[in-house]
């Protein structure tokens, strides 16, 4: 199939090369001033396609036949409009070919682990190029430098810059800069001079007409390590992060050196080596400073703009990703415009903006950006390597000189190794963690050359540089050798040398906290020791960032958030997702067994798991087995507590209301379900809260009088407590066996009372509360503070059974629990009114998350459904939320469990400061 | 040492410190001048805790990077101050405010509060602390012992992350 597509694509050669970039970087369409190549290409292409058809119509049999159908006049039912669709059609076909090729590569798992994808793509390019050559007798395609620099390279660099691990990058910035600047200069000069020496010695043939300047120029363009090749190869090798960031960072930052050297030499070649004045060398140095620093500054300016713009996209979330692509790309183009280092500009724009943009934009936009960037970069990379392969198959380009090729290969390898060893020796005197020999070997070996060198060499002016064809051929060989041979062998080499590999491990909360603490400690120690080292400046920067930059570039709501809290939430969500994944999301109903023994914190996950379940399973039949295995010292009985189908009824499909808007993402059905479930659970929680309150007051009043508590005022705390959905599974054990038959998940079987450990109850409610709360907040992206910690009261009764004998009347309140938790029972006997404060807060949340109608949707469910017969007694006075008030349940809980008052004192101290 | 310490460092003292901490001679003299500049009272000790220069150096020695030749050398009789365990112990003691060899929730909360500033509510901080302790806690006492502390950080490159570069 690929081969059939190829002839169809053949007629538009330049177009084919020119267009994938167009396709792969959509922002360019919006540019006011596209490069002339972009529009020039189709014209050239069509002209050439016409010529092709005239010259050899046999090449595209199928197409050609249809082509000539419509030479008559008059109306035709079916029209063949090839010229009209030609350009986009060929782009699409090329992308398709490249993507299908990728699929084919990855069919064989064993094969792809050995052979890097870049090698395969180059081979494919060679094959395709061969076919085109055979069909056309002439190579039509080659990697067009303008296309490469304007479209393909930025997509890759943009991706690399935006997702650059900033901390790691700046930790190693010294080494990266040294290798990028000193190393590249060293490589360029040494390669150039030595090639010239080889020429003088006669190793390189006489037909290579080049003098010192030509060789220096060639040395400059061949010496730079190529980011595309490095990324392609190293991403599959998985060496440790430090090693990767050094090689990759070098390949990005050496762009400034390459650009300047290239331009300087071009101008020197133009005026002739003899006419170069001393002042010109200084100009070269000045030019380097301007190009590199200017490029960086342009990037940082655009980073600030980008961060600032995304502050205000609250209402138009849908175009957030567009801003990122546009501004990062504009950073690249602007740098090109002033002939500064575009790669530097783009890299720093990405690194700089990432933190603020990611904090400002919504989760969906984040995902969109991530996948689109990776997608584009992957496409661009594929096209680059395929076209490298295709470009190689061109008789007209091949001007082979064995001496030049072999000398170049040897020199670049030798000087790379020497440069790395020399610089590392110097660097290790200053580095905290020295780079050892193995690292140096990998770094030397990882000096891959790639498409940048090829594009630069193709750009050379054949008039000025007589030996251009030789250089082109040599560059192709060098690129192929480094990408294919070194790319193939680097994996075994890394394995053989036992280079420490990257671990794809996400930090735990402990590591997050303690590593932050380490940073603080080190800053303090540097201060004490009177050193102004790295940590000193990092701390200074962080202060500046916090005081000025973040204030300017982050939304107010985001600025108030804490990074640690974000990290904590992320970890919880991740854990929950991994739990779900282990169970297997494909099942219609999930049976989760969560063992809560010593590891209480699994319960933290539980709430989040519920959320993820309901999200993924579309709410259909999520069943949970909550097994609490308890090993309290002293308690001999270990009871399994099973809660079936807790949420089966809760997670149902609500009525669909579909509305379409181009500007807003409609709320997914799942989300609506989540919300509805959330509301239900709130209601249930209200009930249980009520019942527990009821219990509490029981001691004070006559129990029988109080059947219901009407909560006309719901404090914020209560509302938050209502979020605790997990309470409902855990509520089950609290119901006495006699009431169990009412519970849908008990199926009429009276279970023996479970045992719940003291520890578990101390921790679990808080955890559930928090976890659920933050899972909700992740769901709704609520930026509000989490729920106040309030123990879940049904536990209390379970505990109380543990604690000692209870009056029989004690079990009575669970009637309300069971009746209201039974799903579909229409009449929860309480009313729920939104307190003003809460309402306001919710509105804020909605403003933040552009979910209009959420409160409207929510309120009907919360409206009082009050059976006329059961008019509850007047609500007991609910004190305003306050520290004392909130502590009460804890105290109560503890007193139930352990009775001695010191325990409550302990609890007091555990929550030293309440709101 | 008293007044003597405030004037000059004796050679034998330098030798002792060198042996104990592993700092080089020039590092010790440089840090000594730093010490005297910090020593406002000019009595050879730093203010509150009466830290003398030996103690000062001992503390700083925790943050000396682990060098290659030290790794390969036969393990000395006493563990060097900049070993992984000692680095961790230093960090652990900072958390362990009441010095009972356990990080309680309360202590963790206090340290966290110092670290994160005002952008986070008490409840949030509390839940972070809860989770932190639960993750680390193995014997169920709701505290983090030093063993548990070492265990949770076993995958972290502590040697690197708890080191700073002292000038030669």
């Amino acid at each position: 199939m690929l081969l059939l597509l190829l002839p169809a694509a053949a007629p538009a050669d330049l177009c084919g090369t020119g267009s994938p970039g167009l396709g792969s970087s959509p922002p360019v369409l919006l540019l006011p001033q596209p490069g002339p190549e972009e529009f020039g290409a189709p014209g050239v292409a069509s002209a050439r396609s016409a010529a092709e058809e005239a010259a050899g119509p046999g090449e595209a049999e199928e197409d050609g036949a249809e082509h000539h159908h419509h030479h008559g006049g008059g109306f035709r039912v079916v029209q063949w409009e090839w010229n009209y669709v030609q350009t986009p059609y060929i782009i699409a076909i090329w992308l398709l070919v490249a993507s299908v090729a990728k699929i084919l590569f990855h069919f064989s798992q064993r094969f792809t682990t050995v052979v890097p994808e870049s090698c395969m793509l180059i081979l494919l390019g060679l094959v395709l190029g061969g076919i085109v050559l055979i069909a056309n007798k002439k190579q039509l395609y080659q990697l067009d430098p303008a296309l490469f620099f304007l479209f393909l390279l930025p997509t890759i660099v943009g991706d690399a810059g935006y997702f650059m691990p900033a901390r790691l990058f700046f930790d190693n910035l010294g080494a990266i800069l040294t290798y990028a600047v000193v190393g590249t200069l060293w490589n360029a000069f040494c390669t150039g001079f030595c090639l010239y020496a080889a020429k003088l010695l006669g190793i390189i043939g006489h037909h290579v007409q080049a003098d010192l300047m030509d060789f220096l120029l060639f040395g400059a363009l061949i010496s730079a390590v190529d980011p595309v090749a490095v990324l392609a190869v190293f991403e599959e090798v998985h060496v440790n992060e430090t090693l990767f960031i050094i090689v990759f960072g070098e390949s990005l930052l050496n762009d400034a050196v390459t650009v300047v050297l290239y331009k300087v030499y071009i101008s020197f070649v133009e005026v002739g080596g003899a006419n170069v004045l001393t002042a010109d060398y200084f100009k070269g140095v000045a030019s380097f400073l301007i190009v590199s620093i200017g490029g960086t500054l342009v990037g940082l300016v655009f980073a600030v703009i980008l961060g600032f713009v995304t502050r205000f996209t609250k209402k138009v979330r849908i175009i957030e990703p567009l801003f990122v692509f546009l501004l990062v790309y504009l950073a690249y183009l602007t740098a090109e415009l002033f002939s500064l280092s575009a790669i530097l500009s783009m890299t720093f724009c990405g690194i700089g903006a990432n933190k603020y943009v990611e904090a400002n934009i919504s989760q969906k936009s984040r995902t969109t950006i991530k996948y689109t960037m990776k997608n584009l970069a992957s496409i661009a990379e594929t096209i680059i390597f395929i076209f490298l392969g295709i470009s190689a198959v061109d008789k007209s380009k091949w001007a082979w000189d064995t001496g030049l090729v072999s000398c170049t290969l040897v020199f670049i390898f030798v000087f790379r190794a020497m440069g790395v060893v020399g610089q590392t020796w110097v660097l290790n005197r200053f580095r905290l963690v020295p780079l050892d020999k193995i690292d140096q070997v990998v770094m030397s070996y990882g000096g891959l050359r790639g498409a940048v060198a090829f594009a630069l060499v193709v750009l050379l002016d054949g008039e000025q540089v007589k030996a251009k064809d030789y250089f082109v051929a040599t560059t192709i060989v060098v690129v192929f050798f480094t990408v294919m041979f070194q790319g193939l062998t680097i994996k075994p080499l890394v394995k053989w040398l036992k280079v420490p590999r990257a671990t794809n491990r996400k930090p735990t909360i402990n590591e997050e906290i303690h590593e932050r603490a380490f940073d603080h400690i080190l800053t303090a120690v540097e201060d004490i020791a009177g050193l102004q080292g790295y940590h000193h400046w990092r701390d200074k920067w962080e202060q500046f960032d916090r005081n000025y930059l973040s204030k300017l570039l982050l939304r107010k709501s985001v600025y108030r958030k804490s990074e640690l809290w974000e990290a904590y939430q992320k970890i919880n969500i991740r854990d929950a997702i991994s739990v779900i994944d282990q169970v297997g999301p494909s099942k219609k109903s999930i049976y989760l067994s969560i063992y809560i023994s010593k590891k209480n914190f699994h319960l933290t996950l539980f709430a989040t798991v519920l959320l993820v379940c309901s999200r993924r399973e579309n709410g259909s039949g999520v069943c949970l087995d909550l097994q609490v295995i308890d090993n309290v010292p002293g308690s001999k009985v270990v009871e399994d507590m099973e809660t079936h189908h807790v949420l089966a009824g809760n997670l149902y499909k609500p009525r669909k209301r579909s509305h379409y808007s181009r500007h807003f993402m409609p709320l997914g059905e799942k989300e609506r379900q989540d919300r509805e479930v959330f509301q239900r659970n709130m209601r249930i929680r209200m009930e249980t809260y009520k019942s527990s309150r009821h219990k509490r007051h029981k001691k004070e009043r006559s129990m029988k009088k109080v059947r219901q508590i009407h909560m006309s005022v719901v404090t914020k705390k209560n509302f938050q407590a209502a979020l605790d959905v997990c309470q409902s599974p855990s509520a089950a054990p609290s119901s006495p066996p006699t009431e169990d038959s009412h519970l849908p998940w008990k199926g009429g079987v009276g279970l023996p009372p479970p045992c719940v450990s003291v520890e578990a109850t101390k921790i679990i409610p808080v955890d559930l509360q928090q976890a659920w709360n933050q899972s909700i907040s992740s769901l709704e992206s609520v930026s509000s503070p989490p729920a106040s910690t309030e123990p879940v009261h049904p536990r209390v009764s379970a505990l109380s059974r543990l604690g000692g004998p209870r009056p029989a009347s004690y079990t009575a309140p669970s009637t309300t629990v069971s009746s209201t938790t039974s799903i579909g029972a229409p009449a929860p006997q309480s009313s729920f009114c939104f307190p003003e404060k809460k309402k306001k807060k919710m509105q804020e949340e909605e403003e933040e998350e552009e979910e209009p109608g959420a409160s409207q949707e929510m309120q009907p469910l919360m409206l009082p459904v009050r059976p006329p017969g059961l008019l509850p007694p007047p609500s007991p006075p609910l004190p305003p939320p306050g520290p004392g008030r909130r502590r009460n349940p804890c105290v109560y809980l503890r007193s139930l469990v352990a009775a001695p008052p010191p325990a409550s004192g302990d609890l007091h101290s555990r929550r030293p400061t309440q709101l | 040492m008293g007044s003597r310490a405030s004037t000059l460092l004796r050679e034998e003292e330098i030798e002792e410190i060198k042996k104990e901490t592993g700092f080089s001679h020039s590092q010790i003299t440089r840090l000594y001048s730093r010490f005297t500049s910090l020593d406002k009272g000019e009595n050879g000790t730093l203010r509150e805790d009466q830290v003398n220069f030996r103690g000062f150096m001992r503390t700083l020695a925790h943050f000396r990077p682990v060098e290659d030749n030290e790794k390969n050398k036969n393990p000395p009789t006493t563990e060097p101050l900049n070993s992984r365990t000692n680095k961790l112990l230093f960090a652990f003691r900072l958390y362990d405010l009441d010095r009972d060899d356990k990080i309680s929730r309360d202590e963790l909360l206090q340290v966290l509060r110092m670290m994160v500033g005002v952008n986070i509510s008490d409840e949030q901080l509390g839940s972070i602390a809860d989770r932190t302790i639960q993750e680390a806690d193995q014997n169920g006492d709701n505290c983090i012992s030093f063993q548990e502390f070492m265990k949770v950080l076993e995958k972290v490159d502590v040697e690197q992350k708890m080191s700073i570069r002292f000038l030669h």
Side-chain angles (χ1 to χ4, degrees):
Chain A
M1 177 187 173
L2 299 183
L3 304 187
L4 280 182
L5 288 174
L6 190 73
D13 52 348
L14 264 177
C15 204
T17 58
S19 38
L22 235 167
S24 56
S25 56
V28 79
L29 295 174
L30 300 173
L31 288 177
Q33 234 189 356
E37 295 81 4
E38 194 194 333
F39 287 138
V44 175
S46 53
R48 206 175 292 191
S49 77
E52 279 317 313
E53 276 180 31
E59 48 153 296
E61 258 351 303
E62 303 97 325
D63 299 337
E66 284 155 295
H67 247 286
H68 298 289
H69 267 310
H70 51 77
H71 275 301
F75 178 78
R76 289 180 301 271
V77 179
V78 179
Q79 293 193 28
W80 179 259
E81 297 283 5
W82 172 247
N83 285 336
Y84 183 58
V85 297
Q86 189 185 33
T87 313
Y89 204 86
I90 287 169
I91 299 167
I93 295 290
W94 266 113
L95 291 180
L96 187 68
V97 170
S99 312
V100 171
K102 277 206 170 190
I103 296 178
L104 293 178
F105 292 157
H106 289 281
F107 263 133
S108 166
Q109 193 66 41
R110 232 179 330 148
F111 197 55
T112 43
T113 50
V114 178
V115 183
E117 202 180 80
S118 47
C119 292
M120 301 299 303
L121 290 172
I122 285 186
L123 285 178
L124 175 74
L126 284 174
V127 172
L128 289 183
I131 292 167
V132 174
L133 191 68
I134 292 165
N136 282 337
K137 311 276 183 272
K138 179 182 167 201
Q139 186 54 272
L140 298 169
Y141 297 89
Q142 76 160 14
L143 193 58
D144 179 27
L147 156 81
F148 174 73
F149 283 118
L150 282 180
F151 304 118
L152 296 179
L153 190 57
T155 50
I156 293 172
V157 174
D159 172 57
Y162 190 74
F163 293 109
M164 177 84 79
R167 175 76 196 263
L168 201 59
F169 180 79
F170 287 107
D171 278 0
N172 294 292
L173 189 62
I176 292 171
L177 276 178
T178 315
Y179 290 119
V181 177
V182 181
T184 309
L185 284 175
W186 157 267
N187 280 350
F189 284 121
C190 289
T191 312
F193 279 116
C194 288
L195 282 176
Y196 184 61
K199 162 96 167 136
L200 291 183
L201 288 172
I203 302 170
I204 296 172
H206 294 291
H207 42 270
V208 182
Q209 296 177 345
D211 59 2
L212 179 60
M213 277 304 161
D214 294 320
F215 279 122
L216 283 176
L217 174 59
F218 180 62
L221 63 87
I222 202 74
S223 61
V225 177
D226 182 68
V228 183
V230 166
L231 256 188
V233 170
F234 272 69
E235 273 198 340
E236 294 182 31
V237 178
H238 302 298
V239 293
N240 62 69
E241 294 163 323
T242 317
L243 201 52
F244 173 75
I245 203 76
I246 287 179
V247 177
F248 180 56
E250 177 200 344
S251 72
L252 281 177
L253 298 199
N254 66 17
D255 175 65
V257 180
T258 316
V259 166
V260 172
L261 279 183
Y262 184 77
K263 282 183 182 152
V264 166
Y265 286 138
I266 289 262
S267 63
F268 285 0
V269 167
E270 276 169 9
V271 299
N275 302 330
V276 177
L277 304 171
T278 327
D280 290 335
Y281 293 107
F282 289 104
K283 275 185 196 161
V285 175
S287 160
F288 167 70
L289 291 178
I290 289 172
V291 164
S292 53
I293 296 172
T296 310
L297 283 182
V298 168
L300 293 180
V301 166
F302 272 94
V304 170
I305 295 174
L306 179 54
F308 195 66
V309 167
T310 49
R311 249 185 93 164
F312 304 103
T313 50
K314 198 162 78 184
K315 299 271 157 69
V316 277
R317 293 279 193 200
I318 205 83
I319 58 167
E320 274 171 345
L322 185 66
F323 276 120
V324 176
F325 294 126
L326 271 183
L327 281 163
V328 172
Y329 189 56
L330 270 180
Y332 185 90
L333 288 181
T334 311
E336 285 276 288
L337 182 68
F338 296 107
S339 64
L340 303 171
S341 168
I343 293 184
L344 269 184
S345 165
M346 203 169 193
T347 308
F348 278 98
C349 181
I351 295 180
N354 180 288
K355 180 187 161 192
Y356 309 105
V357 172
E358 293 279 293
N360 278 339
I361 61 179
S362 71
Q363 179 63 43
K364 276 176 188 155
S365 305
R366 251 173 266 166
T367 314
T368 311
I369 289 172
K370 186 172 170 190
Y371 279 96
T372 316
M373 277 212 176
K374 298 281 173 208
N375 210 339
L376 294 182
S378 161
I379 289 171
E381 192 187 278
T382 309
I383 288 169
I384 287 172
F385 283 117
I386 286 190
F387 272 96
L388 270 180
I390 291 178
S391 312
V393 191
D394 188 354
K395 278 182 292 187
S396 66
K397 268 204 262 17
W398 282 89
W400 180 270
D401 183 86
T402 317
L404 180 65
V405 170
S406 48
C407 280
T408 312
L409 276 180
V410 170
F411 288 151
I412 61 163
F413 194 76
V414 168
F415 289 125
R416 168 83 189 169
M418 285 169 62
V420 165
V421 171
Q423 290 170 79
T424 313
W425 183 77
V426 176
L427 279 173
N428 275 350
R429 303 173 66 91
F430 299 100
R431 275 181 69 86
L432 190 62
V433 191
L435 296 161
D436 56 18
K437 292 201 178 58
I438 291 175
D439 292 338
Q440 293 175 35
V441 171
V442 176
M443 280 165 63
S444 314
Y445 206 72
L448 307 172
R449 314 310 203 260
V452 173
F454 179 77
L456 285 177
V457 83
V458 169
L459 271 183
L460 288 178
D461 185 359
E463 297 289 306
Q464 307 277 353
V465 186
K466 299 286 190 304
K468 177 187 172 184
D469 288 345
Y470 291 100
F471 288 158
V472 171
T474 312
T475 308
I476 289 176
V477 172
V478 167
V479 169
F480 278 25
F481 180 80
T482 53
V483 172
M484 298 189 70
F485 181 73
Q486 296 187 2
L488 262 176
T489 48
I490 197 164
K491 231 179 208 172
L493 183 81
V494 162
K495 239 180 232 161
W496 182 63
L497 289 174
K498 296 196 180 64
V499 178
R501 300 296 192 90
T503 48
N504 202 11
R505 206 176 50 86
K506 298 286 197 306
T508 62
I509 187 76
N510 267 288
E511 288 165 9
E512 289 270 358
I513 290 175
H514 299 320
E515 285 183 18
R516 266 160 230 261
F518 290 168
D519 282 345
H520 286 280
I521 293 172
L522 292 186
T523 312
V525 168
E526 272 194 0
D527 192 35
I528 289 170
L531 302 166
Q532 302 214 324
Y534 173 69
H535 294 280
H536 174 81
W537 292 111
R538 193 178 44 73
D539 193 56
K540 277 267 183 315
W541 163 256
E542 275 174 10
Q543 273 178 26
F544 172 75
D545 176 56
R546 205 168 35 242
N547 293 339
Y548 303 102
L549 267 184
S550 291
K551 249 180 212 161
L552 178 70
L553 300 182
L554 288 183
R555 274 178 211 180
K556 282 215 179 63
S557 58
V558 180
Y559 180 66
R560 286 198 300 263
K561 280 187 191 168
S562 160
E563 276 177 40
L564 190 61
W565 178 249
E566 300 287 301
Y568 170 71
Q569 285 193 329
K570 225 185 253 173
I571 287 170
N572 264 2
I573 301 280
R574 200 173 60 216
D575 286 352
I577 288 174
S578 73
V579 167
I580 295 289
D581 283 345
Q582 280 163 14
V583 172
S586 58
K587 284 189 218 158
K588 232 351 186 190
S589 57
I590 298 177
Y591 284 86
L592 279 179
S593 299
I594 299 179
Y595 293 90
I596 307 124
S597 50
K598 292 176 204 163
K599 297 259 176 186
N600 285 332
F601 81 86
H602 275 293
L603 254 190
T604 319
L605 300 180
F606 181 63
T608 327
V609 167
L610 289 186
L611 176 81
V612 178
C613 276
S614 59
R615 241 191 225 170
R616 292 216 177 167
E617 291 301 299
N618 220 7
S620 55
V622 179
C623 308
L624 294 153
D625 275 3
L626 177 63
Q627 301 189 324
V628 178
I629 294 180
D630 194 16
N631 40 8
V632 193
S635 145
K636 288 170 192 165
V637 191
V638 176
E639 293 286 348
D640 285 358
M641 181 174 61
E642 290 197 8
T643 313
H644 280 297
H645 303 282
V646 173
L647 295 178
N650 272 357
L651 302 169
Y652 70 104
K653 287 187 199 246
R655 296 171 299 280
K656 248 188 179 173
R657 258 167 294 166
S658 63
H659 28 174
Y660 173 78
S661 163
R662 186 185 300 179
H663 306 289
F664 300 103
M665 299 287 261
L667 280 175
E669 191 192 328
K670 283 179 200 165
E671 272 173 57
R672 208 171 292 127
Q673 273 182 7
D674 286 338
R675 186 171 300 119
E676 205 150 327
V677 169
F678 159 76
Q679 292 154 9
R680 277 179 160 273
N681 287 319
M682 262 174 28
R683 207 171 45 190
I684 294 165
R685 184 64 187 82
M686 292 306 303
E687 292 301 322
T688 49
Y689 176 78
K690 181 180 59 188
S691 61
S692 61
R693 275 192 55 80
H694 163 69
K695 268 178 246 163
R696 201 176 311 148
H697 287 275
K698 184 170 44 184
K699 285 185 177 172
E700 297 150 21
R701 323 167 176 195
S702 162
M703 164 53 218
K704 280 163 194 167
K705 288 177 196 164
V706 187
R707 293 304 300 178
Q708 293 295 321
I709 293 166
H710 173 216
M711 280 184 277
S712 54
V713 180
V714 182
T715 59
K716 173 189 168 194
K717 171 169 53 61
N718 298 343
F719 176 84
Q720 292 288 5
L723 301 189
D724 188 356
V725 67
C726 293
Q727 168 274 330
S728 34
S730 57
S734 73
S735 321
T738 49
E739 304 289 342
D740 274 345
S741 53
H742 294 265
L743 299 176
W745 58 84
K746 289 290 178 179
V749 182
L751 286 179
C755 286
V756 183
S757 76
V758 176
E759 263 100 351
T761 42
K762 263 194 307 196
I763 294 302
I764 288 167
V766 177
D767 277 338
L768 288 177
Q769 183 87 32
Q770 296 292 350
W772 174 251
N773 206 350
Q774 43 143 309
S775 53
I776 284 298
S777 71
S778 74
L779 167 67
E780 311 257 54
S781 304
V782 171
S783 57
S784 60
S788 58
T789 48
E790 177 152 12
V792 180
H793 298 289
R795 287 254 165 226
V796 169
S797 62
L799 277 177
S800 64
R801 228 172 289 132
L802 254 188
R806 295 280 156 218
S809 61
Y810 212 79
T811 54
S814 52
T815 319
T816 49
V817 179
S818 57
S819 69
T820 48
T821 40
S822 35
I823 309 307
Q829 298 104 329
S830 81
S831 69
F832 184 103
C833 301
F834 272 81
E836 277 312 303
K837 195 172 154 198
K838 191 61 213 168
K839 255 187 201 165
K840 220 197 265 171
K841 200 170 135 222
M842 294 206 48
Q843 277 161 11
E844 274 172 24
E845 286 159 10
E846 272 139 35
E847 272 171 38
E848 182 66 29
E849 286 309 308
E850 61 162 49
E851 283 166 1
S855 65
Q856 289 90 325
E857 268 179 53
M858 198 170 276
Q859 261 163 342
L861 272 164
M862 295 304 157
L863 281 180
V865 188
R866 200 180 305 167
L870 283 169
L871 255 184
S875 62
L878 274 179
R885 171 79 184 82
R886 188 170 308 139
R887 236 178 265 128
N888 272 343
C890 300
V891 179
Y892 179 68
L893 173 69
R894 289 298 293 226
S895 65
L896 275 178
V897 175
S904 65
D906 179 21
L907 263 178
H908 276 270
S909 67
R910 289 171 113 229
R911 312 196 185 297
T913 41
Q914 295 282 355
L915 271 177
Chain B
M1 10 184 171
S3 59
R4 183 140 176 78
S6 61
T7 54
L8 260 180
L9 214 52
R10 284 170 302 160
E11 274 304 316
E12 57 265 37
E13 211 172 342
I14 291 181
E15 279 306 313
E16 274 177 42
I17 292 173
K18 211 161 146 184
K19 206 185 264 174
E20 187 183 20
T21 62
F23 281 113
S24 72
H25 193 286
S26 60
Q27 280 171 333
I28 292 173
T29 45
R30 184 178 288 110
L31 286 172
Y32 184 71
S33 68
R34 174 70 186 168
F35 180 78
T36 44
S37 75
L38 288 174
D39 179 17
K40 294 272 161 45
E42 302 213 334
N43 53 6
T45 56
L46 295 185
R47 207 160 28 87
E48 291 144 11
D49 307 325
Q50 300 293 302
V51 182
N52 62 13
F53 185 57
R54 284 289 280 276
F56 180 72
M57 291 305 283
R58 220 177 284 133
T59 309
L60 289 185
H62 284 98
F63 298 97
R64 225 163 46 81
V66 184
E67 280 154 24
D68 276 346
N69 49 7
E70 288 177 50
K71 267 188 216 156
N72 304 330
K73 218 167 49 180
N74 294 331
T77 46
T78 57
E79 204 174 2
L81 283 169
N82 61 351
S83 73
R84 181 189 174 92
T85 315
N86 276 330
K87 280 176 193 290
L88 280 176
L89 195 59
F90 188 94
F92 182 79
R93 294 222 175 103
L94 287 182
Y95 284 103
D96 184 19
L97 302 169
D98 60 2
R99 309 221 159 235
D100 62 349
D101 292 329
K102 274 178 188 163
I103 304 175
S104 69
R105 183 179 186 276
D106 212 15
E107 289 164 343
L108 187 61
L109 268 181
Q110 286 186 44
V111 176
L112 281 176
R113 174 55 73 199
M114 281 188 267
M115 262 168 37
V116 297
V118 291
N119 276 353
I120 188 165
S121 72
D122 287 322
E123 288 91 348
Q124 287 174 325
L125 214 55
S127 57
I128 292 176
D130 280 336
R131 163 133 198 184
T132 309
I133 288 181
Q134 284 154 24
E135 196 179 88
D137 192 18
Q138 286 173 331
N139 55 6
D141 62 351
N142 273 333
C143 290
I144 304 178
S145 69
F146 183 58
Q147 295 305 321
E148 290 161 350
F149 188 73
M150 293 226 300
K151 180 97 174 90
V152 288
L153 290 176
E154 67 181 350
K155 297 218 173 78
V156 178
D157 189 3
V158 178
E159 287 91 340
Q160 181 190 341
K161 289 187 172 155
M162 278 287 278
S163 299
I164 61 170
R165 223 177 54 78
F166 292 94
L167 300 171
H168 287 286

